[in-house]
Amino acid sequence: MLIFNLIWTGVQASYGGGAAASLSFSYFTILTYWGLAFYFLFAALHTFTYARHGTPLLAHFPRPLQALHSLLYTTIITYPFLVTIVYWAVLYSSWFKTPYPRWTNLSQHALNSLFALFELVIPRTSRPPWMHLPSLILILALYLSLAYLTHYTRGVYVYDFLDPENGSGILAGYVLGIAAGIVVIFLVVQGLVWLRKSGTEKKLGREGRFHGGRAKAQGDAELEATRQWEDKT
């Protein structure tokens, strides 16, 4: 979807052409969707190597890269919900008249949360570490810098609510509201993962075929191996 969207936008003058395609990388929505795509790509690779050799490729990564992969997982189970909520509550104005914008917007502002929910419900990963919460807020702050850099270089605000001319108080309210939103979403995600693990593993005893791998930092490589590295630092 992402590749097609870049090509379609780039060749269609009515959608802005190449300028609009390049500008898409300044949208938080698009960036989080790329994050989902790359996570599933690497998750598939790790799963394939785990199935073939009993050890995922991730287990051979240096500890800092394992920690970054763990943070990537946390972003793809939190940011999509933030994107969906902000879009439908703040940015959405009217339904789309043609099929293409319907497809792209539903994919990026509805299916994104469905993909995140899948990752919360189906895998056996543990709760994200609490130290990821300030990292999520920091990434949002860095994106804010990117948004204003885009305005400086391209002369446009990717999101209208970032325009200070709307009022500094309104702008501050949006920024603080989004920061508070990611905190709430992180807490909800923590609770959902706890409920899933408590129900499936503790009450039902469904620990999984490769449950023993956890003791070797394999079963939950995204988080368990990372926590071992974090405990040593």
Side-chain angles (χ1 to χ4, degrees):
M1 179 269 174
L2 288 166
I3 301 298
F4 176 84
N5 195 35
L6 279 176
I7 297 174
W8 182 262
T9 303
V11 301
Q12 295 289 328
S14 59
Y15 289 104
S22 63
L23 185 63
S24 67
F25 289 98
S26 292
Y27 285 88
F28 189 75
T29 296
I30 305 298
L31 294 176
T32 57
Y33 213 76
W34 277 104
L36 278 165
F38 276 103
Y39 173 79
F40 283 120
L41 174 63
F42 278 94
L45 179 61
H46 297 321
T47 301
F48 176 77
T49 54
Y50 190 25
R52 288 294 301 272
H53 307 293
T55 302
L57 179 63
L58 180 61
H60 301 289
F61 282 9
R63 293 300 189 186
L65 289 183
Q66 290 183 0
L68 289 175
H69 185 82
S70 174
L71 179 59
L72 174 62
Y73 175 77
T74 301
T75 65
I76 66 101
I77 60 172
T78 53
Y79 283 153
F81 298 117
L82 180 67
V83 167
T84 298
I85 293 171
V86 171
Y87 178 78
W88 295 107
V90 177
L91 302 176
Y92 174 77
S93 57
S94 61
W95 188 241
F96 313 100
K97 298 180 180 180
T98 56
Y100 177 71
R102 291 176 200 157
W103 173 63
T104 56
N105 279 280
L106 287 176
S107 296
Q108 296 166 2
H109 304 120
L111 289 180
N112 61 333
S113 289
L114 182 63
F115 295 148
L117 186 62
F118 176 88
E119 279 298 308
L120 281 175
V121 174
I122 301 302
R124 293 175 47 247
T125 48
S126 298
R127 289 181 294 169
W130 286 100
M131 67 178 297
H132 283 180
L133 180 55
S135 298
L136 293 176
I137 297 174
L138 175 61
I139 292 173
L140 287 175
L142 292 174
Y143 171 75
L144 193 62
S145 301
L146 173 64
Y148 284 110
L149 178 63
T150 300
H151 176 261
Y152 178 78
T153 57
R154 305 286 292 269
V156 296
Y157 288 105
V158 289
Y159 298 110
D160 291 337
F161 63 80
L162 294 176
D163 189 350
E165 292 186 1
N166 295 328
S168 58
I170 295 177
L171 174 59
Y174 277 117
V175 171
L176 293 177
I178 290 174
I182 198 61
V183 172
V184 173
I185 291 171
F186 183 83
L187 295 176
V188 171
V189 164
Q190 287 271 352
L192 290 176
V193 174
W194 181 85
L195 285 174
R196 187 245 299 156
K197 289 177 68 67
S198 176
T200 59
E201 296 186 10
K202 294 183 179 179
K203 293 184 179 180
L204 298 179
R206 301 293 184 178
E207 296 179 335
R209 178 180 177 186
F210 300 107
H211 174 71
R214 288 189 177 183
K216 298 180 288 184
Q218 296 175 11
D220 265 353
E222 292 94 339
L223 298 177
E224 301 291 346
T226 301
R227 281 189 175 132
Q228 292 181 8
W229 177 79
E230 291 168 349
D231 291 341
K232 295 178 181 178
T233 58

